[in-house]
Amino acid sequence: KLQIGFNDYVNSLRVSFACNYLRHSDLSVTEIGILVGFGTLRTFNRAFQKQMGKTPSEYRRAGKK
């Protein structure tokens, strides 16, 4: 049995893809959220912060230092 729910698993994959886009593209955070499959920016931000401990924008800024 998996120790993670289906939605959490799918969101973890989406966040992983989003991290790659945030590091290697100039797409906006909103565009990336939609591209990886989140329906709203709010849902994307919530799932990203839950997994990564920071918002997508904070993650992108930290990666550019």
Side-chain angles (χ1 to χ4, degrees):
K1 181 179 182 226
L2 293 174
Q3 299 300 313
I4 183 173
F6 179 76
N7 286 341
D8 286 338
Y9 174 71
V10 171
N11 283 345
S12 73
L13 291 176
R14 289 175 173 162
V15 168
S16 294
F17 286 122
C19 286
N20 195 44
Y21 283 115
L22 288 164
R23 281 193 307 267
H24 303 292
S25 81
D26 291 325
L27 295 171
S28 72
V29 169
T30 302
E31 288 172 314
I32 291 170
I34 292 166
L35 189 63
V36 300
F38 288 99
T40 67
L41 180 59
R42 184 170 182 233
T43 306
F44 175 44
N45 280 328
R46 192 182 305 126
F48 194 97
Q49 189 152 16
K50 179 180 176 185
Q51 184 171 329
M52 302 303 295
K54 56 182 77 172
T55 67
S57 296
E58 291 168 341
Y59 180 88
R60 175 174 266 169
R61 280 194 299 273
K64 291 193 174 177
K65 290 181 182 172

